[in-house]
Amino acid sequence: MSSTPINEHPLIVGIDLGTTNSLVAWCDESGPRILEDENGGNLPSVVRYDEQGNVAAIGKPARDHAVEFPTTTLFSVKRLMGRGIADVQNELNYLPYAVVAGEHNTARVQVTENKVVSPQEVSAIILRELKAKAEKALGKTVEKAVVTVPAYFDDAQRQATRDAGRIAGLDVVRIVNEPTAAALAYGLGVGEAEPDPGKQAMLDELEQDGTSDTAKNEPKPLAQLNEAGTVSLNTKFNTEACTTPGSGSGADPNVTGELDHDAFGSNSTVAVFDLGGGTFDVSILNLQQTEQGIVDQVVATSGDTHLGGDDVDRMIVELIQKEIAVQLDQEIDFPPSTRQAFRSFAEATKIRLSNSEYAQLEIDLGEGRTYQRSITKDELEEMMTPWVDRAIACCKEALKKADMTPDLIDRVIMVGGSTRIPLVRKKVGELFGTVPYTALNPDEVVALGAAVQGSILAGINRDMLLLDVIPLSLGIETLGGAVAKLIMSNTTIPAKATEQFTTHAEGQTNVKIHILQGERELVKDCRSLGEFDLTGIPPMPAGLPKIEVTFLVDANGVLNVSAVEKRSEKAARVQIIPNHGLTREEVDRMETESMTHAREDMTAHQLIDLRNQARLDMRAIERQINKVGDELDDAYRQEIAEKVAIVQKFVDTENPDANAFHVALDAMDKATIRLAELAIKQTLSEEQ
Ligand code: AMP
């Protein structure tokens, strides 16, 4: 086990030197994280020079005024790195600044009459800024970095990247392929456990149809949803892990703080789908863990240097312009500032439609006229289909180059902001027959992976990425702030569990699925991993919707949570990395805490369940009395009222005795059996 204190390891950061944006990250024992300063983590890869040829702005301020200074604002210089002037002819139409031939016919930029800069120098300015960001965040001098490059970069382009680092005062200890970095961020290729074939078959089935085999079981009644829309449950059933959970509550002895040497030789084939704003790359990699480290073989790459989210923005702008022309009955030559405003507006609309079913467009055309229309997700998807198909065609080409069929790809990783588009995820999933990895922020995943590589080179314990058991139980929030655990700690991965829930409120159309991690019984004592909404459930009486929640933790420790309302087939899902940011020590602490608080937690959970049940029962009693009240004699009415009053008191008391509460609830339920029978009889006679 690596026991060297973190301070004694060399400090190696990871840098994603991107075409549009750049990021710096660092990885310690608790995993990788993006380093930020007061301007956040993201640094636009843009540098502006002034008329004297001095650097005038870097990053966001440079990008924000690019339109005003088109010839001195340098962006996308990554496209020029290490390239000859002849290689970049195709790029020239896209770059408003002057690209000229330098020494040995290399591509350079003429920023002023007297100043010519190399792409390496411009990249160095970006790298220096990232170095400063990292130093501010860590409070230490940063001298070493892992820097990522596209898989297709040739030796000259890689050397140019190293040179940029050197100019920035950084020792580039390793150049890593961007797709490999993305895979490392997900812990792929690092001591991966070979999944049990039977178990894997079950998981594959789940991934493909989005439902679980346990779904065929008879659903049990119950569960409610609170006012805030949280799914609730007080009986558990239909839970299934793929393997026998490990016994005992302690840490699995096989999980150690060092690379698992038994797993050396593990081998996985990964497709990395990287769709950003302006470029698209797909890479097929073979990752192999050897004693020398991870060996990544780039089996094939494909892509399109001018395919990205910007195209979708343009499609929306064209639609708007066309419709405005129809509305005003004339072609309008919009000025650049208006076109720029349309672009921002179109991008916001596109982003909104990644999470909503429709977006409203409204543009003031002056003279009291407005352009107005709503655009649905379906409409946008129809517009985007040929665009997504271009990316899919590249994937097919990469597979062909690799002489592979999609089923030979073990995992698909999504990188780049445009992979947040649901249609993109759907089509990629369909092509490869698997749910693509989206748990990590697609803008950050490359930098995070570079940091992981940095931590491996620095010899930092990477415990958190090597767990082959689920370290802490996983569950969801239920009514009243309790946690329903679906997968228990120490279950070996991969693992799967399904439970059924329902709504609590009448006619409820949305439920929030809040995912939690921890051994404690209440939400407030567990760690929130994320949440998502299941929307569009048709209005039904409380308790009728059958909401099936499935947890799947795959062999890489990535958790897929899906929720399906079975009557309407409405579905939603989210992906999370459960152990992200937790050290072995933190897991141990949380486990110890759960044992210390076991009794009080159980009581608190029991009280929540009792309260939920009591409210449900009292509501039913009220309905039954309304129905058959006339048939009840005064003495029976009185008896029911007394029993209800006792239960109500327990509901209202802050910390009632759980046993006494239980007894009172039982007494109320027993006393109202006759009432329930009368109500059923009445219902049956009404139906006849
Ligand atoms: P990148 O080059 O990776 O930073 O990706 C930037 C692209 O991702 C831009 O075209 C953004 O408009 C797009 N993008 C970011 N977030 C979303 C989202 N939620 N839905 C659709 N596109 C997005």
Side-chain angles (χ1 to χ4, degrees):
M1 168 146 2
S2 163
S3 55
T4 319
I6 197 95
N7 285 337
E8 293 173 22
H9 290 278
L11 182 52
I12 306 177
V13 295
I15 291 178
D16 172 8
L17 184 61
T19 309
T20 322
N21 291 300
S22 296
L23 289 159
V24 55
W26 183 61
C27 180
D28 61 8
E29 290 145 316
S30 66
R33 66 189 157 90
I34 298 294
L35 297 177
E36 300 186 358
D37 60 13
E38 62 281 5
N39 299 314
N42 185 45
L43 180 74
S45 312
V46 186
V47 176
R48 186 175 82 237
Y49 288 83
D50 63 18
E51 284 161 6
Q52 285 72 48
N54 299 316
V55 174
I58 304 167
K60 192 171 179 301
R63 184 194 61 189
D64 289 351
H65 296 279
V67 183
E68 291 156 58
F69 306 99
T71 56
T72 53
T73 303
L74 311 193
F75 60 90
S76 288
V77 291
K78 187 170 170 180
R79 295 178 187 268
L80 309 176
M81 289 279 277
R83 315 215 63 198
I85 189 78
D87 307 326
V88 296
Q89 288 307 308
N90 290 343
E91 301 294 345
L92 302 186
N93 286 341
Y94 298 91
L95 303 175
Y97 48 82
V99 179
V100 296
E103 229 176 281
H104 308 298
N105 272 328
T106 51
R108 303 270 164 113
V109 183
Q110 181 99 39
V111 272
T112 66
E113 211 174 309
N114 302 318
K115 177 112 181 175
V116 173
V117 291
S118 66
Q120 289 88 320
E121 283 171 75
V122 183
S123 291
I125 293 167
I126 304 290
L127 287 172
R128 214 176 282 126
E129 200 72 2
L130 292 170
K131 179 177 185 289
K133 208 182 257 286
E135 288 177 343
K136 222 174 205 176
L138 296 170
K140 288 180 192 155
T141 308
V142 172
E143 285 166 346
K144 292 176 189 293
V146 169
V147 181
T148 60
V149 295
Y152 59 77
F153 256 29
D154 62 20
D155 284 345
Q157 290 167 298
R158 284 165 200 260
Q159 188 53 45
T161 307
R162 279 183 196 282
D163 292 344
R166 204 162 36 87
I167 300 167
L170 275 172
D171 174 13
V172 179
V173 291
R174 185 76 59 94
I175 294 275
V176 176
N177 289 321
E178 285 160 11
T180 305
L184 283 175
Y186 278 103
L188 266 66
V190 184
E192 254 179 82
E194 286 295 332
D196 169 318
K199 200 193 291 183
Q200 195 55 48
M202 179 167 72
L203 299 176
D204 289 346
E205 187 191 324
L206 174 93
E207 286 191 343
Q208 260 150 48
D209 67 10
T211 59
S212 108
D213 45 356
T214 58
K216 291 161 201 132
N217 294 355
E218 188 63 29
K220 303 256 184 354
L222 130 83
Q224 318 109 48
L225 207 144
N226 68 12
E227 291 68 21
T230 306
V231 173
S232 134
L233 158 120
N234 40 24
T235 310
K236 203 147 109 165
F237 63 97
N238 205 9
T239 304
E240 177 208 2
C242 297
T243 53
T244 318
S247 57
S249 57
D252 186 302
N254 293 324
V255 179
T256 66
E258 60 189 3
L259 290 177
D260 177 359
H261 288 263
D262 291 343
F264 278 176
S266 73
N267 198 325
S268 53
T269 306
V270 181
V272 181
F273 183 99
D274 182 349
L275 186 60
T279 56
F280 170 62
D281 294 313
V282 56
S283 316
I284 296 175
L285 309 175
N286 188 271
L287 298 177
Q288 196 165 12
Q289 179 71 41
T290 70
E291 294 216 32
Q292 283 73 45
I294 299 133
V295 176
D296 68 323
Q297 185 199 354
V298 180
V299 186
T301 63
S302 178
D304 186 330
T305 48
H306 294 285
L307 177 76
D310 299 349
D311 302 323
V312 181
D313 305 345
R314 261 193 301 273
M315 284 182 236
I316 299 174
V317 170
E318 277 165 23
L319 173 85
I320 294 172
Q321 290 186 348
K322 214 166 77 193
E323 292 189 347
I324 290 178
V326 171
Q327 184 180 332
L328 300 183
D329 201 20
Q330 60 173 310
E331 283 297 332
I332 297 171
D333 195 10
F334 293 100
S337 60
T338 309
R339 286 207 302 272
Q340 181 56 42
F342 282 173
R343 284 290 286 273
S344 310
F345 190 69
E347 185 180 17
T349 305
K350 171 189 74 177
I351 289 175
R352 189 176 161 76
L353 288 173
S354 287
N355 292 309
S356 313
E357 289 303 312
Y358 79 98
Q360 192 67 30
L361 304 177
E362 197 173 307
I363 296 171
D364 184 357
L365 300 175
E367 299 170 21
R369 297 167 306 184
T370 40
Y371 163 76
Q372 226 176 357
R373 67 116 79 199
S374 64
I375 179 163
T376 64
K377 187 172 171 182
D378 289 349
E379 233 175 312
L380 181 67
E381 290 195 343
E382 202 183 316
M383 278 162 62
M384 286 191 301
T385 299
W387 171 79
V388 183
D389 286 346
R390 278 170 63 197
I392 295 295
C394 292
C395 295
K396 289 182 180 159
E397 188 190 87
L399 283 167
K400 200 167 155 201
K401 280 189 196 168
D403 200 13
M404 277 186 168
T405 46
D407 57 298
L408 294 174
I409 305 290
D410 299 316
R411 291 285 153 216
V412 180
I413 296 177
M414 298 297 240
V415 180
S418 298
T419 60
R420 292 195 181 92
I421 297 173
L423 182 69
V424 172
R425 291 183 177 185
K426 182 165 160 256
K427 291 219 168 205
V428 172
E430 279 168 5
L431 173 68
F432 290 102
T434 185
V435 179
Y437 273 2
T438 56
L440 294 173
N441 182 335
D443 299 319
E444 297 178 351
V445 60
V446 169
L448 294 174
V452 169
Q453 178 68 69
S455 79
I456 294 172
L457 295 173
I460 294 173
N461 164 10
R462 295 194 45 251
D463 185 6
M464 47 93 42
L465 292 168
L466 298 172
L467 301 176
D468 58 6
V469 293
I470 288 158
L472 291 163
S473 301
L474 300 167
I476 65 169
E477 178 171 357
T478 63
L479 183 68
V483 181
K485 296 191 177 115
L486 277 89
I487 298 183
M488 305 307 283
S489 61
N490 285 323
T491 303
T492 56
I493 56 171
K496 185 182 77 164
T498 297
E499 284 192 29
Q500 195 154 299
F501 300 83
T502 185
T503 54
H504 172 60
E506 299 292 328
Q508 187 162 346
T509 54
N510 292 348
V511 291
K512 191 180 285 301
I513 312 284
H514 182 193
I515 301 139
L516 296 144
Q517 177 182 46
E519 300 318 302
R520 306 283 299 271
E521 295 292 324
L522 303 185
V523 172
K524 68 179 174 62
D525 300 315
C526 287
R527 188 167 171 252
S528 172
L529 293 180
E531 57 182 44
F532 66 101
D533 292 324
L534 176 62
T535 58
I537 302 169
M540 284 183 253
L544 205 60
K546 291 180 179 177
I547 300 160
E548 197 168 82
V549 177
T550 299
F551 275 37
L552 159 72
V553 183
D554 73 14
N556 299 112
V558 174
L559 167 64
N560 283 278
V561 181
S562 60
V564 186
E565 200 290 302
K566 299 300 284 181
R567 294 179 192 277
S568 58
E569 287 301 320
K570 283 283 168 193
R573 64 194 317 148
V574 74
Q575 220 176 56
I576 289 164
I577 300 190
N579 54 339
H580 214 55
L582 279 182
T583 61
R584 170 53 60 197
E585 287 70 32
E586 282 169 299
V587 172
D588 290 346
R589 178 180 53 73
M590 289 167 87
E591 219 170 33
T592 313
E593 268 176 21
S594 88
M595 284 189 257
T596 321
H597 298 281
R599 188 179 288 273
E600 66 194 79
D601 280 4
M602 281 311 293
T603 309
H605 196 147
Q606 201 185 355
L607 283 174
I608 288 172
D609 288 350
L610 283 166
R611 275 202 184 92
N612 290 341
Q613 194 60 51
R615 289 197 180 107
L616 208 68
D617 292 353
M618 286 191 294
R619 244 192 289 161
I621 292 168
E622 199 181 317
R623 272 201 306 271
Q624 289 158 358
I625 289 180
N626 287 340
K627 191 163 207 160
V628 295
D630 298 347
E631 295 174 43
L632 304 180
D633 58 67
D634 285 350
Y636 187 38
R637 259 175 186 281
Q638 182 65 23
E639 187 194 345
I640 294 173
E642 276 168 17
K643 298 281 193 270
V644 169
I646 296 171
V647 170
Q648 184 66 55
K649 203 156 170 217
F650 278 109
V651 170
D652 296 338
T653 307
E654 203 175 320
N655 262 323
D657 179 88
N659 285 336
F661 193 165
H662 198 121
V663 169
L665 189 59
D666 246 13
M668 181 180 81
D669 289 345
K670 281 207 182 82
T672 51
I673 290 175
R674 188 154 66 88
L675 172 69
E677 285 170 354
L678 286 171
I680 291 169
K681 235 188 249 166
Q682 169 101 3
T683 309
L684 289 176
S685 68
E686 280 167 6
E687 281 175 3
Q688 275 162 12

